Structures are given as C-alpha cells and as structure tokens.
Amino acid sequence: FYFRNKHRPFLLFVSLLHVHTPLITTQKFQGRSRHGLYGDNVEEMDWMVGRILDVIDKESLKNTTFVYFASDHGGSLEAHRGNSQLGGWNGIYKGGKGMGGWEGGIRVPGIVRWPGVLTAGTVIDEPTSLMDIYPTVVHLAGGAVPQDRVIDGHTLLPLLQGTVQHSRHEFMFHYCGVFLHAVRWHQKDSGTVWKAHYATPVFQPEGSGACFRRGICPCFGDGVTYHDPPLLFNLSQDPSEANPLSADTE
C-alpha cells in the first residue's frame, strides 16, 4: 500500500480486532504481559501500530502524515472467562461498553501524531468525538463537507493547532441503541462540562459498575432506572460521576 501511494495523498484506515473479545492473540505474544490475555492483546496491538509508524518513518512520510489513534468505546466490563477479565479496565470512570451514558463507555484514548505540524506532548482537555474524523479528513484533503445536511462532527485541526481554545461541540447526546440515556453540555463561557442522565442501567450486582448477571446492560425496560429530574453531574469536578448534584443543595 505505502509503496504504491507514498508519492500521492492516501488514506489508510486500520480497524484492529485487538482489545476486543475473544482476544485472538498470536502465539508470539501470549504470556508476554503480566496483565494476562488482555495485556498480551494490548502489547500485540502496540507492536502492530508500531510497525505501521515505522514504515511511515522509513518512507520519510512522518512530517506529512496525520495519524489519529482511538478506540470506539471503553472497556467491556462484563467480558470474563473464569476469573480473567477480558474486556479491559476503565480506571476512575463509571461503567463501560454498551452503557448509554456513563463515562467508562464513552471516554477513550485519543492520540494524534503529525510531527511536521503539531507540537509533541500537547494535551487538550476538550470534548471531541469520533464523529470529528470525517470532517477532519475532508479538511486535510482540501475538500468541503456537504452543505445540504447537518454534519455532527467538526474538524479537529483548529483545536489541535491551537488556533481555537474550545471545542465546537456544545451538546453531545449519548444513546443506548435508539434510547437517549444522557446529554453532555460543554458550557462555552466557563469551559465546565455538565452531564444529565435520563436513564441508567441497573447494575447487577448493585454497586458492581456492570451487568454481570445479564452479560450486557439493557437499554430500556426493567433493566434501567429512569430519572425525573435527571441525574446531574459536574464532570469538570467529578469525572467519576460519584456525586450527583442535588437541587436542594446546589
């Protein structure tokens, strides 16, 4: 691919099967990580991404190639084999994959590399989305997104280059299937991020952060709790969503 396209613009999309059950890890990487089969899978994925970046560097394309590495969702907490956790870990964030609103299923790694243009080591703490990939690629290609419809994403370039300080995403809507579970509001004048939950999955067992008895959390019905008024969190101060704000005290 690189040898055919290195002298002209190209788009390479690599959708890795790794860090997704059933964790098909090659023999070379099995037993390499102290974090079990999932860790082995992460290490093999890291090696594969490294091979791609090595070719970009070898072909002298590093300074002219925009690389964006991300995941499509957070870790799947219900994925187990015996006592082995196969679906990753979401750190301080509540919940995981398949849940409509909790941060553990929404916040994912977002790593960008473009040495010729972007300053290394920059950290941007602003809401962005995988929906932004499409308009970013169109922007890089010198095109324009369609004007006859609403495009939900925004090009990432101004944010990455520092020409703007805040994401253009004011509201983000978080669905579980076709059911709206939560809405995020990025308050532009203060930069504070608020989130309202209208429905949340009923964890089994209670307090576990997952739906182990069901195997996956449902989106509606008796498997969710409906909130009226909605649960409200200040994500800027409480990213773990541990303390819903109270209308009586806040």
Side-chain angles (χ1 to χ4, degrees), residues 33-50:
S33 168
R34 63 180 179 176
H35 297 292
L37 187 59
Y38 188 88
D40 296 342
N41 219 249
V42 171
E43 292 204 13
E44 184 168 12
M45 179 185 67
D46 184 61
W47 173 79
M48 291 175 71
V49 172

Side-chain angles (χ1 to χ4, degrees), residues 22-123:
L23 299 183
I24 304 170
T25 313
T26 59
Q27 196 166 359
K28 177 182 175 183
F29 283 89
Q30 288 181 15
R32 289 265 296 258
S33 168
R34 63 180 179 176
H35 297 292
L37 187 59
Y38 188 88
D40 296 342
N41 219 249
V42 171
E43 292 204 13
E44 184 168 12
M45 179 185 67
D46 184 61
W47 173 79
M48 291 175 71
V49 172
R51 291 293 301 272
I52 295 170
L53 296 180
D54 286 347
V55 173
I56 291 173
D57 294 354
K58 182 182 175 185
E59 298 298 328
S60 300
L61 297 171
K62 180 166 70 173
N63 289 345
T64 55
T65 302
F66 178 87
V67 178
Y68 184 37
F69 174 87
S71 177
D72 60 341
H73 52 70
S76 176
L77 303 181
E78 290 89 356
H80 276 73
R81 183 186 300 155
N83 293 324
S84 299
Q85 191 167 342
L86 303 181
W89 179 65
N90 296 318
I92 68 168
Y93 303 114
K94 185 179 289 186
K97 176 189 176 182
M99 302 178 201
W102 294 120
E103 290 292 275
I106 297 169
R107 292 208 188 206
V108 296
I111 305 171
V112 174
R113 189 185 87 149
W114 192 4
V117 177
L118 305 178
T119 304
T122 302
V123 176

Side-chain angles (χ1 to χ4, degrees), residues 211-234:
C211 301
F212 292 114
R213 291 185 194 133
R214 288 179 180 259
I216 189 168
C217 289
C219 295
F220 66 99
D222 62 359
V224 303
T225 301
Y226 297 94
H227 303 283
D228 184 14
L231 293 178
L232 181 64
F233 295 92
N234 179 346

